[in-house]
Amino acid sequence: DVKVTQSSRYLVKRTGEKVFLECVQDMDHENMFWYRQDPGLGLRLIYFSYDVKMKEKGDIPEGYSVSREKKERFSLILESASTNQTSMYLCASSFDRAPEAFFGQGTRLTVV
Amino acid sequence: AQSVTQPDIHITVSEGASLELRCNYSYGATPYLFWYVQSPGQGLQLLLKYFSGDTLVQGIKGFEAEFKRSQSSFNLRKPSVHWSDAAEYFCAVHGGGADGLTFGKGTHLIIQP
């Protein structure tokens, strides 16, 4: 079975903190994605990566950055967390240009 | 760019009744189509997918979906719902590029006893 693991299920951080959300996949997938999920807005793409050290902005990249130093790991970074970044964050991975994506369990981040 | 519309934000169905969740997409060619389900506090689980061929596709948990090119629709159906089907359902489209899936805003399914 494909496994996409997000390091935390729940996080509570203070405004202004630097926050790291980690995601690891075990299927040697080329593509990895970070989505943000908010009620009534569905899932919105923040960043994606199609190769090690490569990254592309999604639909809502402002306030976020990413890092992909190894193929299996994709990190989402909130440089200075703000309350409007309180949300559910979902990581996903897929083979190169393959349509089907596999999702992690999600990290519910609360910024206070 | 592709887009997905799920017209129903909430749907309430009695246990044992049939279900249809609507999904319309906008894309220049035939896209890859998906339905995912999300139980409370969980990630997304793939219910079914359409790539090509037979326009009626079967998925897990007794769900099926029908691709209708003329209507740009990919509606999800189940003949008899169970209380465990209460969840958020997302329709998604993939245009074949590297930028992944585009999701609808989701439909929240409530099951009445």
Side-chain angles (χ1 to χ4, degrees):
Chain A
D1 272 358
V2 175
K3 196 146 175 100
V4 180
T5 304
Q6 296 182 227
S7 54
S8 304
R9 292 293 302 276
Y10 301 94
L11 276 178
V12 180
K13 297 292 181 180
R14 295 195 179 277
T15 301
E17 275 193 79
K18 189 168 186 175
V19 180
F20 293 85
L21 303 183
E22 306 286 347
C23 176
V24 177
Q25 49 92 6
D26 66 357
M27 278 300 292
D28 204 34
H29 285 165
E30 290 83 9
N31 299 336
M32 296 190 74
F33 309 87
W34 276 106
Y35 291 89
R36 170 176 172 159
Q37 182 184 8
D38 299 289
L41 297 178
L43 279 76
R44 294 176 292 168
L45 183 64
I46 304 172
Y47 268 96
F48 65 98
S49 168
Y50 54 88
D51 201 352
V52 175
K53 297 191 185 295
M54 304 303 291
K55 60 185 179 184
E56 294 286 344
K57 293 180 179 179
D59 299 319
I60 52 164
E62 296 79 18
Y64 303 94
S65 62
V66 290
S67 172
R68 193 165 182 203
E69 296 297 318
K70 294 185 177 182
K71 190 175 185 179
E72 67 270 19
R73 185 180 297 270
F74 193 34
S75 303
L76 179 69
I77 303 158
L78 287 66
E79 295 289 343
S80 177
S82 64
T83 55
N84 62 13
Q85 293 178 308
T86 292
S87 187
M88 171 74 102
Y89 291 87
L90 290 161
C91 175
S93 69
S94 71
F95 285 114
D96 183 34
R97 297 196 174 268
E100 185 172 348
F102 298 86
F103 283 82
Q105 290 291 85
T107 297
R108 183 164 295 281
L109 172 67
T110 301
V111 182
V112 298
Chain B
Q2 60 261 27
S3 66
V4 179
T5 301
Q6 293 181 247
D8 304 306
I9 299 173
H10 302 277
I11 282 189
T12 301
V13 177
S14 297
E15 190 169 15
S18 63
L19 170 71
E20 183 170 29
L21 301 183
R22 295 183 291 163
C23 173
N24 293 96
Y25 67 89
S26 173
Y27 185 66
T30 300
Y32 303 109
L33 295 160
F34 302 83
W35 276 99
Y36 283 87
V37 62
Q38 184 183 37
S39 297
Q42 302 297 314
L44 271 67
Q45 181 183 20
L46 180 67
L47 279 177
L48 46 78
K49 59 191 176 188
Y50 173 78
F51 289 177
S52 64
D54 192 347
T55 56
L56 184 64
V57 293
Q58 303 296 320
I60 62 171
K61 305 186 181 190
F63 285 91
E64 66 179 25
E66 186 171 13
F67 169 60
K68 293 186 177 180
R69 185 191 308 274
S70 61
Q71 298 175 20
S72 298
S73 69
F74 189 55
N75 293 349
L76 182 71
R77 301 194 293 247
K78 187 171 184 177
S80 176
V81 297
H82 185 262
W83 64 266
S84 60
D85 293 325
E88 192 85 15
Y89 291 80
F90 293 96
C91 182
V93 61
H94 191 290
D99 57 346
L101 296 163
T102 298
F103 286 87
K105 294 184 178 180
T107 298
H108 184 60
L109 177 62
I110 300 165
I111 306 296
Q112 279 184 337

